[in-house]
Amino acid sequence: MQAHVSIILPVHNAEPWLDECLRSVLQQDFEGTMELSVFNDASKDKSGAIIEKWRVKLEDSGVHVIIGGHDSLSPRGVGYSKNQAVAQSSGSYLCFLDSDDVMMPQRVRLQHQAAVQHPSSVFTANGPTVIMPTWFCSRAWFSHVGPFDEGGQGVPEDLLFFYEHLRKGGGVVRVDQSLLLYRYHPRAATHSVLETTIWTHRVRFLEEQALPRWAAFTIWNAGKQGRRLYRSLTAASQRKVVAFCDFCACPQVVAFCDVDENKIRKGFYCHEDSQERPKPRIPILHFRAARPPFVICVKLDLTGGAFEDNLRSLHLQEGQDFLHFS
């Protein structure tokens, strides 16, 4: 019988965390039919034995378990494992779970409720990112967007999938509750992806999807991140940058600023590495003198709310007048 929800679980050497992860599957309060689709990607520890132990407990509780995998010398990677786990599953909806994470009992129930209402969206939980590990979507939508990139170690397969989801018109809906305990540790697969790789993909996606809509724009932040963004753009996109702006010269918020107000006094940023002659000199303005649209390179939580207050004071609309890039 086809399950309502398939929990997709790639596993590679997850022995320290797997018991707790699988226990959280058993504790779900979802009343529909569930199955667990596990793909064991060449684990060399006791992950296989732990999976078999939990298979009995889960199936006794009505959760069908499908186990696939291989025992090659080297793993094929997270993208490959997720694709294999999806392929061997049958559920109408897919709930993605990492083997070192723990689901709250209400996760499947609440995300399934949201997914039924929004068939072309992926669903995340309360937290700092929409990029995994709390995606939940219909199988039909996954088939429309996917599969995951199978390039292996060092490839941000989840980010690439998410960008393709957005390209094809997908939306994002958040269940505004904490639904998963995310475990951050030195052996996590995320550490194999270089920060420069993530940055490059993000900049290229910004140039592909957002910047073509604007004839010119301002980079909000004359500091390290703002200059880095400018240098990362193609020459055509750099020519659209009309100014850098900051709020350092504003007395009531200067204590929250992480960029020296001397940059505003200097008046411009010179791109010394540019091949153009003369070298580009981009004005640096106080934020009230600048004009939208903006690309914002500021970590909002470091300003104690002052930055968001400034945005509201300018009556800016996200997506139309500004985009966050931080």
Side-chain angles (χ1 to χ4, degrees):
M1 181 178 71
Q2 183 181 18
H4 284 109
V5 176
S6 296
I7 298 174
I8 304 302
L9 182 64
V11 173
H12 173 68
N13 290 345
E15 179 184 348
W17 315 285
L18 200 48
D19 276 314
E20 196 173 0
C21 175
L22 294 173
R23 183 177 295 109
S24 75
V25 176
L26 184 65
Q27 293 173 341
Q28 291 301 297
D29 62 12
F30 179 61
E31 295 183 353
T33 54
M34 279 195 314
E35 68 179 13
L36 174 67
S37 179
V38 183
F39 190 83
N40 189 353
D41 187 20
S43 293
K44 306 305 180 190
D45 60 4
K46 297 179 181 178
S47 292
I50 295 171
I51 293 167
E52 289 294 340
K53 176 186 71 175
W54 278 96
R55 181 213 287 261
V56 176
K57 296 179 181 180
L58 288 163
E59 294 196 334
D60 285 348
S61 297
V63 179
H64 181 49
V65 179
I66 308 107
I67 301 173
H70 66 98
D71 57 0
S72 303
L73 292 178
S74 301
R76 294 284 300 274
V78 181
Y80 174 81
S81 300
K82 289 176 183 173
N83 288 337
Q84 293 299 309
V86 170
Q88 70 189 16
S89 68
S90 67
S92 301
Y93 293 89
L94 305 176
C95 174
F96 290 91
L97 176 64
D98 291 342
S99 57
D100 51 0
D101 294 337
V102 178
M103 296 191 291
M104 302 299 105
Q106 69 273 25
R107 182 195 172 186
V108 171
R109 171 174 56 84
L110 293 179
Q111 290 194 292
H112 179 262
Q113 289 173 359
V116 170
Q117 299 297 319
H118 303 275
S120 62
S121 292
V122 296
F123 303 90
T124 68
N126 184 27
T129 178
V130 297
I131 309 298
M132 288 293 186
T134 55
W135 283 2
F136 190 112
C137 65
S138 70
R139 177 180 297 274
W141 186 253
F142 177 86
S143 298
H144 178 65
V145 175
F148 289 103
D149 188 293
E150 297 185 358
Q153 189 175 31
V155 174
E157 82 292 330
D158 46 7
L159 179 65
L160 297 178
F161 180 88
F162 184 63
Y163 283 167
E164 190 62 23
H165 161 79
L166 295 178
R167 289 187 184 100
K168 294 189 175 180
V172 179
V173 175
R174 186 176 74 174
V175 175
D176 200 14
Q177 293 190 33
S178 295
L179 300 182
L180 183 132
L181 173 65
Y182 175 75
R183 201 184 306 267
Y184 188 81
H185 59 90
R187 291 169 54 185
T190 186
H191 294 300
S192 70
V193 183
L194 297 177
E195 189 274 338
T196 52
T197 300
I198 297 292
W199 178 270
T200 299
H201 283 299
R202 292 178 68 205
V203 172
R204 296 289 84 85
F205 189 76
L206 176 73
E207 292 189 299
E208 171 196 326
Q209 295 293 313
L211 299 190
R213 294 182 284 161
W214 296 341
F217 66 95
T218 300
I219 295 177
W220 192 314
N221 187 356
K224 181 179 178 180
Q225 287 296 90
R227 298 195 304 269
R228 181 188 182 192
L229 173 60
Y230 177 82
R231 294 192 298 267
S232 300
L233 297 172
T234 62
S237 295
Q238 286 178 351
R239 285 191 286 272
K240 290 186 174 186
V241 179
V242 293
F244 288 91
C245 75
D246 212 301
F247 54 83
C248 292
C250 183
Q252 63 265 38
V253 298
V254 67
F256 302 111
C257 186
D258 65 348
V259 180
D260 192 336
E261 63 183 31
N262 288 330
K263 291 183 175 66
I264 294 176
R265 294 195 189 102
K266 182 178 179 182
F268 66 90
Y269 164 69
C270 182
H271 183 26
E272 298 290 350
D273 295 332
S274 174
Q275 300 302 309
E276 295 186 27
R277 295 294 182 274
K279 295 177 180 179
R281 290 160 64 98
I282 310 301
I284 300 175
L285 306 176
H286 182 276
F287 79 96
R288 292 194 180 279
R291 293 291 177 266
F294 300 103
V295 175
I296 299 172
C297 296
V298 174
K299 294 183 178 180
L300 304 186
D301 60 326
L302 298 183
T303 69
F307 184 79
E308 293 186 79
D309 290 342
N310 284 326
L311 291 182
R312 284 192 291 269
S313 75
L314 296 176
H315 307 290
L316 300 179
Q317 299 181 34
E318 186 167 9
Q320 177 178 332
D321 298 315
F322 72 91
L323 294 171
H324 289 125
F325 195 91
S326 57

